[in-house]
């Protein structure tokens, strides 16, 4: 059985996860924990994909590590926005950027683990006071995605030339991760909204009053960051990559999460006691009516109630005469504590200067040694084996024969089996390339033989 983290290692890995300060990003101890978080993230995704018992999730929740993951995401977010610019002022074209990318990817891995854990109510319940920090972080990340989409970033198909400045490529990688993190944060906000009764009243106020998440989600649904038009046709963001689709009406997971989030908030009477439906909010929410069409409601029938609510709201108009109750509100702590520590360390510029030798290192031997270590941590060989394993599992699923086929069912099934020819030997083939999904193969050996020929066309897709 394929594993990124073996059962005997799991406890050690989870226990080793701890909080770091901004000054620690990139040092040897931070890298050790980074490797563990990466492997835990890969193992957790594997357990979900293969419908195994979710041991990583259980360990993270039982050992109270979700707040640590939120802290780590915030820490790298601060480093990315406040320290990295100073480093690039010192050296605008660093010789090796993979360690910078490693720091950026640390944030994405932490958010991916949170996404897998908070799907379960037990994960949300374990957040306790750190839910306020999570709401702040997610609201900021989703707003950044909306900003990128409004500038047309997701529809930019321009390929970066290798001769262009390293900084340009680094900025592209930074924005790509920002985009992926922001879309995951749509799901995280939905999980929090769905389990808001588990938290203190401050969580509800932070969702509705501080950040106005219903307004934010309407913007998300209007801008549709999970979909784009390219020269090759329509593409949707599925499983963290852009995939060509034919049916634009079929909703994606992210779109469904955005709709569910709006529904959970607007149809919660206790939360709505603190949400003043003034004229501007009513106008913003009324945009949902045009998107709540029959095709969508057929796929998500639970939204019928939301459509009725928005329709009544449009007819009744402004209801801004609610009395605001006085509530003693808890405040988020993680970002504030990180900023205090940065101040005691001399500020962001001082931290950048102290990290010069780490991220702007020009020693080729040290760079190669670190690259080898990180390559092992990311487990690229295991990922390739896993991709093939999952493809084989998909092929082992029995073909479904519709009842109305009757006696002709066997003939239809036989036709399906022989309708595709192997791209190498032209024999009947049931497998297809997992990346481009255009070329079929009868075996793994034929796929490997054809790879030198198929490579360019595959990567173009």
């Amino acid at each position: 059985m394929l594993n990124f983290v073996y059962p005997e290692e799991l406890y050690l890995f989870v226990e080793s996860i701890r909080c770091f300060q901004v000054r620690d990003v990139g040092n040897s101890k931070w890298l050790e924990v980074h490797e563990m978080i990466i492997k835990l993230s890969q193992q957790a995704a594997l357990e979900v994909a293969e419908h195994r018992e979710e041991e990583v999730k259980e360990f993270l929740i039982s050992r109270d590590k979700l707040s640590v993951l939120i802290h780590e995401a915030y820490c790298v977010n601060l480093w990315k926005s406040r320290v990295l610019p100073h480093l690039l002022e010192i050296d605008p074209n660093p010789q090796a950027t993979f360690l910078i990318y490693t720091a950026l990817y640390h944030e994405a891995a932490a958010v991916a683990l949170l996404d897998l854990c908070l799907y379960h109510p037990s994960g949300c319940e374990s957040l306790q006071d750190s839910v306020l920090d999570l709401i702040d972080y997610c609201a900021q990340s989703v707003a950044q995605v909306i900003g990128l989409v409004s500038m047309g970033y997701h529809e930019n198909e321009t390929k970066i030339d290798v001769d262009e400045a390293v900084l340009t490529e680094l900025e592209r990688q930074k924005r790509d991760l920002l985009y992926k993190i922001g879309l995951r944060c749509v799901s995280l906000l939905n999980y929090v909204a769905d389990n808001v009764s588990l938290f203190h009243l401050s969580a509800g106020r932070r969702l509705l009053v501080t950040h106005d998440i219903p307004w934010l989600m309407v913007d998300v649904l209007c801008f549709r960051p999970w979909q784009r038009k390219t020269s090759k046709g329509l593409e949707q963001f599925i499983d963290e990559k852009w995939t060509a689709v034919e049916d634009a009406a079929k909703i994606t997971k992210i779109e469904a999460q955005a709709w569910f989030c709006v529904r959970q908030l607007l149809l919660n009477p206790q939360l709505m006691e603190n949400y003043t439906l003034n004229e501007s909010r009513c106008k913003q929410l009324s945009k949902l009516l045009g998107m709540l069409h029959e095709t969508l409601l057929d796929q998500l029938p639970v939204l019928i109630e939301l459509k009725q609510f928005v329709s009544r709201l449009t007819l009744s108009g402004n209801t801004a005469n609610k009395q605001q109750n006085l509530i003693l509100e808890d405040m988020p702590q993680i970002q504030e504590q990180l900023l205090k520590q940065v101040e005691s360390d001399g500020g962001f510029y001082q931290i950048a200067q102290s990290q010069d030798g780490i991220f702007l290192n020009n020693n080729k031997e040290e760079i190669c040694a670190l690259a080898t270590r990180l390559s092992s941590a990311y487990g690229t060989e295991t990922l390739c084996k896993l991709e093939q394993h999952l493809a084989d599992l998909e092929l082992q699923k029995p073909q479904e024969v519709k009842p109305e086929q009757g006696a002709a069912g066997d003939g239809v099934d036989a036709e399906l089996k022989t309708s595709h020819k192997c791209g190498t030997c032209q024999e009947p083939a049931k497998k297809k390339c997992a990346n481009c999904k255009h070329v079929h193969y009868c075996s793994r050996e034929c796929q490997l033989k054809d790879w030198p020929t198929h490579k360019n066309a595959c990567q173009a897709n």
Side-chain angles (χ1 to χ4, degrees), residues 2 46 50 384-394:
L2 287 171
L46 175 61
E50 295 193 340
C384 291
K385 292 179 182 177
L386 171 61
E387 183 179 345
Q388 183 60 38
H389 177 60
L390 292 177
D392 291 342
L393 287 177
E394 191 69 24

Side-chain angles (χ1 to χ4, degrees), residues 162-202:
V162 292
D163 294 332
E164 284 191 46
V166 176
L167 180 57
T168 306
E169 174 66 11
L170 188 61
E171 184 63 25
R172 184 190 65 80
Q173 292 174 341
K174 190 167 115 178
R175 291 190 179 186
D176 284 349
L177 285 173
L178 183 69
Y179 204 82
K180 292 178 180 180
I181 289 170
L183 292 180
R184 278 195 183 273
C185 284
V186 172
S187 297
L188 294 179
L189 286 172
N190 175 48
Y191 301 148
V192 172
D194 193 28
N195 295 281
V196 71
S197 60
L198 301 174
F199 309 121
H200 188 270
L201 291 174
S202 299

Side-chain angles (χ1 to χ4, degrees), residues 32 134 154 271 440-441:
E32 288 177 6
L134 179 64
H154 70 312
L271 287 179
H440 288 73
Y441 297 100

